Amino acid sequence: MQLAKLKEQVKQQQLPNHIAIIMDGNGRWAKKHKFKRIMGHKKGVETVRKIVEISGEIGLKYLTLYAFSTENWRRSKTEVDYLLKLIIETLDKEIDELVEKNVVIKFIGTDKGLSHSYRDKIESTSQKSWHNDGLHLNVAMNYGGRRELVEAVQKIGRKVKSGEIEAADIDEKLISAHLYTANMPDPDLLIRTSGEYRLSNFLIWQSAYAELWFTPVLWPDFTQKHFLEAIWDFQNRERRFGAR
Ligand code: FPP
């Protein structure tokens, strides 16, 4: 089906509230084209651009992209340095257009391991978009689902200790409210590219009821059409949340 037609079709049905994407396969894409790994990430940013663009066009409310995991520090220094620089440079380059397009940018992840100047820079740049109310674009940066839960438990533990809350007050809602994604809907569709079938520590609490959509397509080759196909597939699934 043509892109324009698919887009109209998708817009006529209820959209997912929140789509989360594990953008995988940049390295393999580079290898396939006999480039250095970092070229895969560079090309991957072009896909990010296209997916953010179409998300805004169809009126999606939340999009979360897994850009850098707490496990990614184990890669070579060259690759880590390149990725950190690429993320901040992309943000810098795109911020004005994103602000103009009514996008709200938020970085989710742990501060641990990132320099103060890096954290300040992503915070101050993304702040420029915080008055907007269109697409909420979350960039998962230095993100790990288990780390997020540890930090939430620490925050809750401090509140119990100070008497602000009691242990008996701890429920699912309270835990959700202490995650990086507090006040956001849980992802209802999670996409992973490159033919891997894992969550890789991504939004593990929030994705409890998410529909999963996997494709063998490598992230740099992932198109707006693939994205709409995933949404169309989601719209045609029956979701029961444990009920019959
Ligand atoms: C996974 O591919 C991809 C990453 C670890 C990085 C993705 C980051 C970007 C595309 C930049 C995003 C920038 C912004 C501003 C959102 P891989 O290297 O694990 O691929 P492989 O499994 O084929 O080796």
Short mmCIF file of all heavy atoms in Angstrom, two decimals, residues 165-190:
data_model
loop_
_atom_site.label_atom_id
_atom_site.label_comp_id
_atom_site.label_asym_id
_atom_site.label_seq_id
_atom_site.Cartn_x
_atom_site.Cartn_y
_atom_site.Cartn_z
N ILE A 165 5.52 8.76 53.56
CA ILE A 165 4.56 7.71 53.21
C ILE A 165 4.82 6.47 54.08
O ILE A 165 5.89 6.36 54.70
CB ILE A 165 4.66 7.29 51.71
CG1 ILE A 165 6.08 6.86 51.34
CG2 ILE A 165 4.16 8.37 50.78
CD1 ILE A 165 6.19 6.20 49.98
N GLU A 166 3.87 5.55 54.06
CA GLU A 166 4.08 4.29 54.79
C GLU A 166 4.31 3.17 53.79
O GLU A 166 3.83 3.25 52.65
CB GLU A 166 2.84 3.97 55.62
CG GLU A 166 2.73 4.86 56.84
CD GLU A 166 1.52 4.52 57.68
OE1 GLU A 166 1.08 3.35 57.64
OE2 GLU A 166 1.02 5.43 58.35
N ALA A 167 4.99 2.12 54.24
CA ALA A 167 5.27 1.00 53.33
C ALA A 167 3.98 0.47 52.71
O ALA A 167 3.95 0.09 51.53
CB ALA A 167 6.01 -0.10 54.09
N ALA A 168 2.91 0.50 53.48
CA ALA A 168 1.63 -0.02 52.99
C ALA A 168 1.05 0.84 51.86
O ALA A 168 0.16 0.39 51.13
CB ALA A 168 0.64 -0.10 54.14
N ASP A 169 1.56 2.07 51.72
CA ASP A 169 1.07 2.94 50.63
C ASP A 169 1.67 2.56 49.28
O ASP A 169 1.24 3.07 48.25
CB ASP A 169 1.46 4.41 50.89
CG ASP A 169 0.81 4.95 52.15
OD1 ASP A 169 -0.26 4.46 52.50
OD2 ASP A 169 1.40 5.87 52.77
N ILE A 170 2.70 1.71 49.30
CA ILE A 170 3.38 1.40 48.03
C ILE A 170 2.51 0.49 47.18
O ILE A 170 2.17 -0.62 47.58
CB ILE A 170 4.76 0.75 48.28
CG1 ILE A 170 5.64 1.67 49.14
CG2 ILE A 170 5.45 0.43 46.95
CD1 ILE A 170 6.93 1.03 49.61
N ASP A 171 2.12 1.02 46.03
CA ASP A 171 1.35 0.21 45.09
C ASP A 171 1.88 0.48 43.66
O ASP A 171 2.83 1.25 43.50
CB ASP A 171 -0.15 0.48 45.21
CG ASP A 171 -0.50 1.95 44.98
OD1 ASP A 171 0.40 2.72 44.54
OD2 ASP A 171 -1.64 2.35 45.22
N GLU A 172 1.26 -0.12 42.68
CA GLU A 172 1.75 0.03 41.30
C GLU A 172 1.77 1.49 40.86
O GLU A 172 2.69 1.95 40.20
CB GLU A 172 0.89 -0.79 40.35
CG GLU A 172 1.09 -2.29 40.55
CD GLU A 172 0.32 -3.13 39.55
OE1 GLU A 172 -0.16 -2.60 38.53
OE2 GLU A 172 0.19 -4.35 39.80
N LYS A 173 0.71 2.21 41.26
CA LYS A 173 0.60 3.62 40.85
C LYS A 173 1.76 4.43 41.43
O LYS A 173 2.36 5.27 40.74
CB LYS A 173 -0.73 4.16 41.38
CG LYS A 173 -1.37 5.14 40.46
CD LYS A 173 -2.80 5.44 40.90
CE LYS A 173 -3.00 6.94 40.78
NZ LYS A 173 -3.90 7.49 41.74
N LEU A 174 2.09 4.16 42.68
CA LEU A 174 3.17 4.90 43.34
C LEU A 174 4.51 4.59 42.68
O LEU A 174 5.34 5.48 42.45
CB LEU A 174 3.21 4.57 44.83
CG LEU A 174 4.19 5.45 45.59
CD1 LEU A 174 3.45 6.59 46.28
CD2 LEU A 174 4.99 4.66 46.61
N ILE A 175 4.71 3.32 42.36
CA ILE A 175 5.97 2.96 41.69
C ILE A 175 6.06 3.65 40.34
O ILE A 175 7.07 4.29 40.03
CB ILE A 175 6.12 1.42 41.58
CG1 ILE A 175 6.26 0.80 42.99
CG2 ILE A 175 7.31 1.04 40.69
CD1 ILE A 175 6.24 -0.70 43.04
N SER A 176 4.98 3.59 39.57
CA SER A 176 4.99 4.26 38.25
C SER A 176 5.31 5.75 38.39
O SER A 176 6.01 6.32 37.56
CB SER A 176 3.62 4.10 37.57
OG SER A 176 3.41 2.76 37.24
N ALA A 177 4.79 6.35 39.45
CA ALA A 177 4.99 7.79 39.66
C ALA A 177 6.44 8.14 40.03
O ALA A 177 6.82 9.31 40.04
CB ALA A 177 4.04 8.30 40.74
N HIS A 178 7.24 7.13 40.36
CA HIS A 178 8.65 7.38 40.71
C HIS A 178 9.61 6.94 39.61
O HIS A 178 10.82 6.91 39.79
CB HIS A 178 9.00 6.72 42.05
CG HIS A 178 8.38 7.44 43.20
ND1 HIS A 178 7.07 7.25 43.57
CD2 HIS A 178 8.89 8.40 44.03
CE1 HIS A 178 6.79 8.05 44.60
NE2 HIS A 178 7.88 8.75 44.89
N LEU A 179 9.06 6.58 38.47
CA LEU A 179 9.91 6.21 37.33
C LEU A 179 10.23 7.46 36.52
O LEU A 179 9.59 8.50 36.70
CB LEU A 179 9.19 5.17 36.46
CG LEU A 179 8.84 3.84 37.15
CD1 LEU A 179 8.03 2.96 36.20
CD2 LEU A 179 10.09 3.11 37.61
N TYR A 180 11.19 7.35 35.60
CA TYR A 180 11.52 8.51 34.75
C TYR A 180 10.30 8.92 33.93
O TYR A 180 10.18 10.04 33.47
CB TYR A 180 12.65 8.19 33.77
CG TYR A 180 13.91 7.59 34.37
CD1 TYR A 180 14.55 6.53 33.73
CD2 TYR A 180 14.49 8.10 35.52
CE1 TYR A 180 15.71 5.98 34.23
CE2 TYR A 180 15.65 7.55 36.04
CZ TYR A 180 16.26 6.49 35.39
OH TYR A 180 17.40 5.95 35.88
N THR A 181 9.41 7.95 33.69
CA THR A 181 8.25 8.19 32.83
C THR A 181 7.00 8.60 33.63
O THR A 181 5.89 8.43 33.13
CB THR A 181 7.92 6.91 32.04
OG1 THR A 181 7.85 5.82 32.98
CG2 THR A 181 8.96 6.60 30.99
N ALA A 182 7.21 9.11 34.85
CA ALA A 182 6.06 9.53 35.68
C ALA A 182 5.14 10.44 34.87
O ALA A 182 5.63 11.27 34.09
CB ALA A 182 6.58 10.27 36.90
N ASN A 183 3.86 10.28 35.06
CA ASN A 183 2.84 11.08 34.36
C ASN A 183 2.70 10.82 32.87
O ASN A 183 2.08 11.59 32.15
CB ASN A 183 3.06 12.60 34.56
CG ASN A 183 3.08 12.97 36.02
OD1 ASN A 183 2.25 12.48 36.77
ND2 ASN A 183 4.04 13.79 36.42
N MET A 184 3.32 9.78 32.40
CA MET A 184 3.17 9.44 30.97
C MET A 184 2.40 8.13 30.87
O MET A 184 2.50 7.28 31.75
CB MET A 184 4.54 9.20 30.32
CG MET A 184 5.43 10.40 30.31
SD MET A 184 6.96 9.95 29.47
CE MET A 184 7.99 11.29 30.04
N PRO A 185 1.66 7.95 29.76
CA PRO A 185 1.00 6.64 29.60
C PRO A 185 2.05 5.57 29.32
O PRO A 185 3.12 5.88 28.78
CB PRO A 185 0.10 6.85 28.37
CG PRO A 185 0.70 7.99 27.63
CD PRO A 185 1.40 8.86 28.64
N ASP A 186 1.76 4.34 29.71
CA ASP A 186 2.68 3.25 29.39
C ASP A 186 2.70 3.03 27.88
O ASP A 186 1.70 3.28 27.21
CB ASP A 186 2.19 1.95 30.05
CG ASP A 186 2.46 1.92 31.54
OD1 ASP A 186 3.35 2.66 32.00
OD2 ASP A 186 1.78 1.15 32.24
N PRO A 187 3.82 2.56 27.35
CA PRO A 187 3.81 2.26 25.91
C PRO A 187 2.82 1.14 25.61
O PRO A 187 2.76 0.17 26.35
CB PRO A 187 5.25 1.81 25.61
CG PRO A 187 5.91 1.59 26.90
CD PRO A 187 5.11 2.27 27.96
N ASP A 188 2.02 1.32 24.59
CA ASP A 188 1.12 0.23 24.22
C ASP A 188 1.62 -0.50 22.98
O ASP A 188 1.12 -1.56 22.64
CB ASP A 188 -0.35 0.67 24.08
CG ASP A 188 -0.49 2.09 23.63
OD1 ASP A 188 0.43 2.59 22.99
OD2 ASP A 188 -1.54 2.69 23.91
N LEU A 189 2.63 0.06 22.34
CA LEU A 189 3.26 -0.63 21.21
C LEU A 189 4.76 -0.47 21.32
O LEU A 189 5.27 0.64 21.47
CB LEU A 189 2.76 -0.03 19.88
CG LEU A 189 3.46 -0.51 18.60
CD1 LEU A 189 3.31 -2.02 18.41
CD2 LEU A 189 2.91 0.22 17.37
N LEU A 190 5.46 -1.60 21.30
CA LEU A 190 6.92 -1.56 21.37
C LEU A 190 7.49 -2.21 20.10
O LEU A 190 7.14 -3.34 19.77
CB LEU A 190 7.42 -2.29 22.62
CG LEU A 190 8.92 -2.13 22.89
CD1 LEU A 190 9.16 -2.01 24.39
CD2 LEU A 190 9.73 -3.30 22.36
#
